[in-house]
Amino acid sequence: MKAYIFPGQGAQFTGMGLDLYESNPLAQNLFESANKILGFSITDIMFEGTPEALKQTKVTQPAIFLHSVILAKTLGENFKPEMVAGHSLGEFSALVANKTLSFEDGLQLVSKRALAMQKACEMQESTMAAVLGLDDAIVEQVCESVEGIVVAANYNCPGQLVISGELKAIDKACELLLEKGARRALKLPVGGAFHSPLMEPAREELALAIENTTFSTPICPVYQNVVAKGVTDASEIKENLIAQLTAPVRWTQTIKQMIADGGTEFIEVGPGKVLQGLMRKIDRSVAASGAVLTK
């Protein structure tokens, strides 16, 4: 079975999407439509902006979503997903790809999500840290032992887990994790504690927007971050998408489940090759490649 996977925040780069815009009329129309929906020229920032401008949360999340979704739409007849999944933000791209959400609704939700997350980040000093070379269970135990809020946030691949929480709690957890034998415990250059209880204000704001958006029955299952299994029921998809902001991204478990359910060919759709790299660490025997623009 052919599985399409969609990247999340961090995959952005200056010039992203320009090749799509210049070589495909459908892509050009969709980018121009996005500028109108967002109320600013995101294409200017994507194509020519500085890395700093692209790093703004209100830009980064819609930019990655647009690159992924528009690339998928240019694949035409070749795009026949049998299962889809997305890493964090990428789940919204996956939901447009399997026709749960329209392009317009998906973009509006991503924009609202980005702004809500930015607001939540500004309420309290918080961050995330990558922990390398330890079993998940040890990382979880250390997080539980630390005073304050610090939780496992992204199960990226075996031996790579990202933790998220309050600044002091993250610092203490990193210190303890290095004592436990972590190869690295390194704070990440992010604006806040994504996928942790500190995102509760953003979850509440996004929940309202999701409840008021039409979700259709998908053409294939979406393997959602929160449950790490295939879902086809529209109301269940909504619930999981709302829970996603404060719950961990179970990426390792998601990919393993997709393989167990018959996924044999994984294609990353969007900027960068991050998910292909994680695929090789989760299961090297499964084919992983990147989608290529159809001109």
Side-chain angles (χ1 to χ4, degrees), residues 98-209:
N98 78 349
K99 301 195 186 312
T100 303
L101 285 171
S102 69
F103 171 78
E104 294 78 11
D105 285 345
L107 178 57
Q108 282 174 335
L109 284 180
V110 165
S111 179
K112 284 172 184 168
R113 178 184 191 262
L115 294 170
M117 286 170 80
Q118 184 62 43
K119 263 196 277 181
C121 290
E122 287 161 6
M123 286 181 186
Q124 188 169 359
E125 214 177 2
S126 59
T127 192
M128 302 175 84
V131 183
L132 306 182
L134 275 184
D135 284 347
D136 292 348
I138 295 172
V139 180
E140 289 162 355
Q141 283 161 14
V142 167
C143 286
E144 281 169 25
S145 75
V146 171
E147 198 178 321
I149 296 171
V150 57
V151 295
N154 295 352
Y155 293 80
N156 284 335
C157 65
Q160 188 191 123
L161 208 167
V162 175
I163 60 174
S164 182
E166 295 165 335
L167 213 51
K168 277 185 183 172
I170 288 278
D171 284 338
K172 184 63 181 171
C174 285
E175 186 188 313
L176 293 172
L177 289 161
L178 288 168
E179 284 173 17
K180 291 275 186 186
R183 203 163 69 246
R184 289 179 89 181
L186 184 72
K187 278 197 285 195
L188 299 173
V190 295
F194 305 143
H195 301 289
S196 83
L198 295 173
M199 283 292 117
E200 181 58 27
R203 190 197 68 79
E204 287 173 11
E205 202 173 315
L206 188 63
L208 200 60

